[in-house]
Amino acid sequence: MEYAILKLIWWVLVAVLMIGLMIMDGHDMGVGALSPFIGKTDSERRAAINSVAPHWDGNQVWFITGGGAVFAAWPLVYATSFSILYIAILAVLWTLFLRAPAFDYRSKIENPSWRKTWDWVLFVGSAVPPLLFGVAVGNVMLGVPFHFDNDMRLVSDAVNPLFGFLGLLSPFALLCGLVSLCMTLAHGGVYLTIRTEGAMQVRAKKAAKIFLILAIVLFALGGLVVGHINGYVATNLDPNGPSDPLLKTVEIVKGGWLHNYQQYPLMMLAPVLAFAGLILSLILNAKDKSGLAFIFSGVGMAGIILTAGLSMFPFIMPSSSSPASSLTAWDATSSQHTLLLMLVAALIFTPIVLTYTSWVYRIMRGKLTTARIEENSKSMY
């Protein structure tokens, strides 16, 4: 198979893994962040937690596989991101770790203070990661301060690691973080309307409505801002060329991230998909069609992620301090043999993951009521 086609396939596969992560783990994080507000009693909060706790760690497969795919398919991107954004990546991992003890220890002791503390630990572990994911995307679109010297050694151009971390919290990056957080909370709220009933379901439905509207407004605002920030346009880029980012030239252009939409109008389907998915989810949520609302909420999330990816294509990690060092899908990949070998593994294992994930959700389906929680108090989370 041609090298350029393999590079393109792996760009698509990584995008699919990112979408899978946000849809599958997104509703887990959304439920975790909403549970202290939607659950007014201990039993209601436990009902929310038990809607995701039995399978949330299975959804981490998308996160781990995504990280592994970036490591194997785009080693330069993996090495650069972990070197330049080390503190930010550790912050994401630390907050993700919080969910495991929160799920497992919260209901071990019947003490209100103990349980309330773990509820807020779960909130932090569920709300901060999607916020930071969005902030990371915003910063990548703005450009990351690094360059390669003539011996291809990576050099950080950040002032210092701590200042560099605080510098990531720019207004545009925070806007992207809020889009990510709102779409996650909306997805979690819609999921809770499927798994709960009564007053709790009404509160989940209201939360889903609020965050779906916010996601639509913030995504539209982000699109307007992208037209006024600098984007990157590459020339002399050979899709079949070797993995050497220094062989190309890169120009910084105001509004450059909209260049692809002018050149390939078909890409407009991505933002259309985002708006259509979120709006249809909002309508279906209002009509109490929770299952369809959940599907279209996922469609909206996929559209938002694809919009960011297609706007930047073929760039993966632009450099703000040395644009020629920017990493793209054409010049930052593994060898042709490695990409082909990984593709064979992906074709074998991806259907297995999808099959057992579907089976788990089929087994765990059904309403979670406070009566069921109280009857099985010792065996449930």
Side-chain angles (χ1 to χ4, degrees):
M1 188 179 289
E2 195 174 333
Y3 196 17
I5 293 176
L6 279 170
K7 292 175 180 176
L8 184 60
I9 287 174
W10 272 100
W11 183 91
V12 172
L13 287 177
V14 172
V16 168
L17 288 169
M18 296 300 111
I19 291 169
L21 167 68
M22 291 310 294
I23 291 177
M24 300 307 295
D25 204 25
H27 74 265
D28 296 341
M29 291 188 283
V31 169
L34 289 173
S35 61
F37 307 98
I38 289 179
K40 297 298 182 186
T41 65
D42 181 66
S43 294
E44 287 186 346
R45 286 190 286 276
R46 288 187 70 181
I49 289 169
N50 275 276
S51 70
V52 295
H55 50 69
W56 77 276
D57 44 358
N59 289 330
Q60 296 302 294
V61 169
W62 294 95
F63 183 71
I64 295 166
T65 308
V70 171
F71 171 75
W74 301 335
L76 275 176
V77 175
Y78 186 90
T80 304
S81 57
F82 270 80
S83 299
I84 307 300
L85 304 172
Y86 187 70
I87 293 179
I89 291 173
L90 276 185
V92 171
L93 292 176
W94 286 332
T95 49
L96 282 173
F97 293 158
L98 293 175
R99 287 192 295 168
F103 281 130
D104 283 334
Y105 295 144
R106 180 197 179 277
S107 300
K108 297 289 186 189
I109 298 176
E110 292 187 16
N111 179 295
S113 298
W114 170 270
R115 292 187 173 185
K116 190 175 181 181
T117 300
W118 283 114
D119 285 341
W120 288 109
V121 171
L122 180 60
F123 169 79
V124 173
S126 301
V128 175
L131 178 69
L132 291 181
F133 288 152
V135 168
V137 171
N139 277 286
V140 169
M141 293 185 79
L142 292 171
V144 181
F146 71 91
H147 73 273
F148 295 100
D149 65 15
N150 291 333
D151 296 318
M152 280 301 293
R153 289 177 298 190
L154 176 66
V155 180
S156 170
D157 296 321
V159 177
N160 63 60
L162 181 60
F163 180 80
F165 175 69
L166 297 176
L168 298 178
L169 305 176
S170 64
F172 177 70
L174 286 172
L175 173 62
C176 293
L178 288 175
V179 172
S180 174
L181 179 61
C182 287
M183 71 180 190
T184 303
L185 293 173
H187 201 48
V190 174
Y191 182 72
L192 275 176
T193 63
I194 298 174
R195 300 299 307 277
T196 59
E197 61 182 19
M200 195 175 171
Q201 187 186 43
V202 172
R203 290 193 289 271
K205 184 178 170 182
K206 186 177 179 182
K209 177 183 175 182
I210 292 170
F211 288 111
L212 279 167
I213 292 172
L214 283 174
I216 293 167
V217 172
L218 292 173
F219 179 61
L221 181 61
L224 293 174
V225 175
V226 165
H228 294 85
I229 64 172
N230 288 332
Y232 295 66
V233 179
T235 54
N236 303 329
L237 197 51
D238 179 9
N240 274 306
S243 291
D244 185 346
L246 298 181
L247 295 179
K248 64 181 178 302
T249 55
V250 175
E251 185 183 359
I252 296 180
V253 180
K254 187 177 180 181
W257 291 139
L258 301 181
H259 180 76
N260 279 344
Y261 297 107
Q262 296 165 1
Q263 196 167 3
Y264 309 103
L266 199 60
M267 287 186 176
M268 283 300 295
L269 284 175
V272 169
L273 203 65
F275 282 118
L278 295 175
I279 291 170
L280 283 172
S281 181
L282 186 64
I283 294 170
L284 292 164
N285 182 57
K287 293 181 177 296
D288 293 325
K289 297 186 181 301
S290 304
L292 286 173
F294 183 74
I295 291 171
F296 281 104
S297 172
V299 169
M301 295 175 90
I304 290 174
I305 295 167
L306 281 175
T307 300
L310 291 175
S311 299
M312 294 180 59
F313 187 84
F315 287 91
I316 303 170
M317 182 176 283
S319 168
S320 58
S321 53
S322 173
S325 295
S326 299
L327 302 175
T328 75
W330 304 133
D331 61 13
T333 60
S334 293
S335 68
Q336 188 171 2
H337 180 72
T338 301
L339 295 182
L340 184 59
L341 190 65
M342 288 168 51
L343 180 59
V344 172
L347 290 174
I348 294 172
F349 291 107
T350 303
I352 296 174
V353 172
L354 293 175
T355 301
Y356 81 69
T357 301
S358 303
W359 178 76
V360 167
Y361 274 83
R362 179 175 172 76
I363 295 296
M364 298 291 178
R365 71 186 186 280
K367 297 286 185 183
L368 277 160
T369 62
T370 54
R372 182 178 166 190
I373 296 293
E374 288 160 8
E375 287 170 8
N376 302 278
S377 178
K378 300 296 181 187
S379 60
M380 301 190 84
Y381 287 94

